[in-house]
Amino acid sequence: MPSHGSDRAPEPDWWRTAVIYQIYPRSFADANGDGIGDLPGIRSRLGYLSDLGVDAIWLSPFYPSPLADGGYDITDHRDVDPRLGTLDDFDGLVADAHARGIRIIIDVVPNHTSDQHAWFLDALRAGPGSAERDRYIFRDGTGADGSRPPSDWRSHFGGSAWERTADGQWYCHLFAREQPDLNWGNQQVRDYFLGTLRFWADRGVDGFRIDVAHSLAKDLSEPLRSQPNLDGMLPLDGSDPLYDRDEVHEIYRSWRALFDEYDPPRMAVAETWHPVSSRTYLYARPDELGQVFDFSLLKAEWHPDQFRAVITRSIEEHAGVGGALTWVLSSHDVPRHATRYALPVGTDLDAWLRSDGTSFELDEATAHRRARAATLMMLALPGSAYLYQGEELGLLEVADLPEESLQDPVFERTGRQLKGRDGCRVPLPWTSDGSSFGFGEGTSWLPQPSWFSTYAVSAQSGRPDSSLELYRAALALRRTLATDDAFGWVDTRDAQVLHFARTDGWHCIVNFSARPVVLPGRLLLSSDPDDRARATRHLLAPESAAWFVPAP
């Protein structure tokens, strides 16, 4: 496979130090003007991604879907939604990306299907006790007439995790009612996904992101055990009835055997929200997926104690596992980090969103400073960095989307109490003008705010003080610096300043305070747009980060 240059991480372990850019396909670029992003749109912007300097792109689901949950309700795991393109479009995207040295990672959603999937429609027709129903989790209800759910299991989108069918049985859905959970005790289910992984790997896919990887194996023995707490209070022995069961690792060992049939082996990264990171890292073992998202940094607020504790714990608990560290600040599931860091520590994000962002007025300058500093810090950490589309533009959360435009099922499932995740999924601005700021020739499926014009790619390209140019510079410099796992804290004797060392003498320092601090060495890169002027005075600006070589 072509590479960006000899300084790229070599095969087969490229993913251990990669910068991976998440694309939410419906919101990236629209090639046909229907208001929905598509594969040809992504293909048309590969030059932008190459210039940005990413090693790989991760595509959120692009499969056929009724869109009850933004594409995570899938009717066919081996095809492309016709609104987003065709398999030929996908093959062309892979070929063009590889020609530019960009790898392709795709989402795999193994916990559930759409309720419009052929299997589920067959299950409804076949009736209780059938082989077709055994692919899913059907149970009789409780109570004298079976009118109560089989257990107290809860949906992540609000309410019960059980939905009653016309014949009186109930099926389990840990997410939306349109997403029935599969029964991973059924061999047909296991074989189907092994075949699906092979289908895409044979088409040139380099890796897979595994959605809710900790929820596949479930204890379905009767009577069903109580579990009303979702995945926030899990035991440490792998015995929860629904999440992070020890048996799930058997599934991923079989997947690793398949991945290792390819040259180079296909990579994988697990999404799991286990509250205890020592359990999380089990998914990253070399004989399983090799990598797992650590969302600890994403959950941290703008505070040096939180960042230091998260980084220390993640590195220490990952040691000895054999996989690769991951760092994430934003994703398609949480408000953008530029917004989060500008809110006071302890802010209830859901309440702030319910107020359309009016309960606390965001200061954009603060948001930009802190987001830039946090990004430079993250990119200096050992392991791989996952970026979310638009964060390189410094985009803020669109907090004031009108209720009639919201499409996240969380909104309705919670009785309109939670606005959901649409605010970070608003289509990207490519130009400062046009009906959709260059996203496409028409409008966009979620409304874009007028302030997007100042954040557009066209407004930032070539402007040295822009967020986009900082990302480009940081990714280019990152490739030239050491990429092993060496890491160590340096004592600053200042609780508001974090300082750590990497390999071969380069360091990162983050100033959380409201005053300049001494920059103890030769500047390589700073998140402060006025870095060169300050560097001549050996100062680092407030709420800024820098990469530097210490003074001898």
Side-chain angles (χ1 to χ4, degrees):
M1 179 187 299
S3 68
H4 289 267
S6 59
D7 52 2
R8 288 290 187 181
E11 306 257 17
D13 292 335
W14 62 270
W15 47 274
R16 290 181 174 272
T17 57
V19 175
I20 298 167
Y21 184 96
Q22 181 191 358
I23 290 178
Y24 193 72
R26 300 179 71 222
S27 298
F28 188 70
D30 171 21
N32 62 6
D34 65 355
I36 301 172
D38 46 41
L39 298 186
I42 298 170
R43 192 176 178 184
S44 74
R45 298 292 185 178
L46 287 173
Y48 168 81
L49 295 168
S50 180
D51 291 343
L52 185 60
V54 301
D55 297 284
I57 55 177
W58 149 33
L59 303 177
S60 292
F62 51 83
Y63 312 104
S65 170
L67 299 178
D69 180 23
Y72 283 85
D73 49 315
I74 297 168
T75 59
D76 187 345
H77 294 78
R78 303 182 192 179
D79 204 351
V80 174
D81 191 305
R83 291 165 292 191
L84 275 64
T86 66
L87 280 172
D88 286 342
D89 290 328
F90 181 84
D91 293 340
L93 172 60
V94 172
D96 287 358
H98 284 176
R100 292 180 178 273
I102 298 173
R103 283 94 170 181
I104 300 288
I105 298 169
I106 65 171
D107 242 304
V108 174
V109 186
N111 180 70
H112 47 261
T113 71
S114 165
D115 63 353
Q116 300 303 305
H117 192 286
W119 273 9
F120 193 71
L121 297 177
D122 287 345
L124 293 179
R125 286 190 292 264
S130 63
E132 290 83 354
R133 287 206 173 182
D134 190 58
R135 295 168 178 157
Y136 294 89
I137 302 172
F138 280 85
R139 290 292 185 275
D140 292 330
T142 58
D145 57 357
S147 62
R148 295 203 302 269
S151 73
D152 61 0
W153 300 350
R154 309 300 295 172
S155 164
H156 287 268
F157 293 163
S160 172
W162 295 96
E163 185 74 11
R164 200 174 193 187
T165 64
D167 58 29
Q169 275 206 313
W170 300 71
Y171 67 86
C172 175
H173 59 91
L174 293 183
F175 294 89
R177 63 171 61 90
E178 297 88 353
Q179 295 170 291
D181 279 35
L182 289 160
N183 172 18
W184 274 83
N186 185 302
Q187 190 60 44
Q188 287 185 0
V189 172
R190 297 189 177 215
D191 292 344
Y192 174 77
F193 276 94
L194 285 171
T196 296
L197 296 169
R198 191 177 298 281
F199 175 87
W200 293 109
D202 287 347
R203 299 191 93 89
V205 165
D206 302 282
F208 302 90
R209 177 262 191 187
I210 315 304
D211 188 59
V212 288
H214 60 316
S215 66
L216 305 192
K218 299 177 177 69
D219 179 4
L220 301 178
S221 60
E222 299 287 351
L224 297 176
R225 284 195 280 152
S226 172
Q227 215 291 35
N229 301 313
L230 299 177
D231 52 359
M233 299 174 61
L234 299 182
L236 299 182
D237 60 359
S239 64
D240 187 84
L242 297 178
Y243 301 100
D244 190 46
R245 292 185 59 76
D246 284 342
E247 299 96 299
V248 79
H249 298 288
E250 172 197 342
I251 296 170
Y252 297 130
R253 282 190 285 271
S254 72
W255 288 20
R256 172 48 55 193
L258 184 151
F259 296 151
D260 287 349
E261 294 177 16
Y262 292 84
D263 184 17
R266 299 315 190 231
M267 63 80 69
V269 56
E271 182 215 26
T272 168
W273 292 84
H274 197 293
V276 180
S277 54
S278 60
R279 289 284 302 182
T280 295
Y281 284 120
L282 297 179
Y283 297 80
R285 289 178 290 196
D287 65 340
E288 295 188 33
L289 297 177
Q291 195 173 61
V292 61
F293 282 121
D294 185 337
F295 292 121
S296 302
L297 195 59
L298 177 148
K299 297 176 183 177
E301 299 170 288
W302 178 258
H303 194 283
D305 292 347
Q306 290 192 35
F307 277 26
R308 181 175 185 124
V310 161
I311 293 168
T312 299
R313 184 176 66 249
S314 295
I315 290 175
E316 289 179 352
E317 294 190 349
H318 180 270
V321 170
L325 281 159
T326 61
W327 307 101
V328 188
L329 294 179
S330 282
S331 80
H332 65 295
D333 281 333
V334 296
R336 291 185 175 277
H337 69 270
T339 290
R340 300 197 316 270
Y341 295 152
L343 295 170
V345 171
T347 295
D348 183 332
L349 288 172
D350 290 326
W352 184 77
L353 288 172
R354 281 198 303 272
S355 77
D356 289 342
T358 63
S359 62
F360 180 86
E361 185 175 354
L362 209 67
D363 179 69
E364 288 191 42
T366 299
H368 296 158
R369 284 196 310 273
R370 293 177 177 180
R372 290 164 64 101
T375 293
L376 214 57
M377 179 197 71
M378 178 187 73
L379 291 173
L381 293 169
S384 60
Y386 283 78
L387 312 179
Y388 177 54
Q389 64 177 43
E391 72 170 75
E392 76 278 12
L393 303 178
L395 287 183
L396 303 171
E397 184 79 358
V398 182
D400 58 352
L401 286 171
E403 289 189 354
E404 60 270 18
S405 71
L406 298 178
Q407 300 193 30
D408 191 336
V410 170
F411 182 54
E412 294 293 345
R413 288 282 296 182
T414 59
R416 302 193 164 201
Q417 293 302 302
L418 300 181
K419 288 192 74 173
R421 302 159 291 179
D422 290 325
C424 65
R425 300 177 180 184
V426 176
L428 296 188
W430 294 93
T431 61
S432 296
D433 54 13
S435 59
S436 61
F437 299 113
F439 170 67
E441 294 183 358
T443 58
S444 60
W445 66 280
L446 282 172
Q448 300 161 301
S450 60
W451 52 264
F452 261 29
S453 63
T454 60
Y455 288 77
V457 173
S458 65
Q460 297 196 42
S461 289
R463 203 183 79 210
D465 64 343
S466 71
S467 176
L468 175 58
E469 293 301 340
L470 173 66
Y471 271 75
R472 287 172 173 169
L475 297 192
L477 181 57
R478 189 179 191 268
R479 291 196 299 272
T480 71
L481 299 172
T483 54
D484 63 21
D485 288 341
F487 175 92
W489 290 110
V490 177
D491 183 14
T492 65
R493 298 184 180 181
D494 186 335
Q496 294 297 307
V497 179
L498 296 185
H499 180 176
F500 58 86
R502 295 298 314 279
T503 309
D504 295 335
W506 73 282
H507 291 222
C508 178
I509 188 169
V510 188
N511 178 14
F512 287 82
S513 75
R515 53 179 170 74
V517 298
V518 173
L519 178 67
R522 177 174 59 86
L523 179 69
L524 299 175
L525 182 66
S526 171
S527 66
D528 174 19
D530 297 323
D531 57 358
R532 291 297 168 187
R534 295 183 191 278
T536 60
R537 303 194 304 273
H538 301 288
L539 294 176
L540 177 64
E543 299 186 327
S544 296
W547 298 353
F548 69 97
V549 176

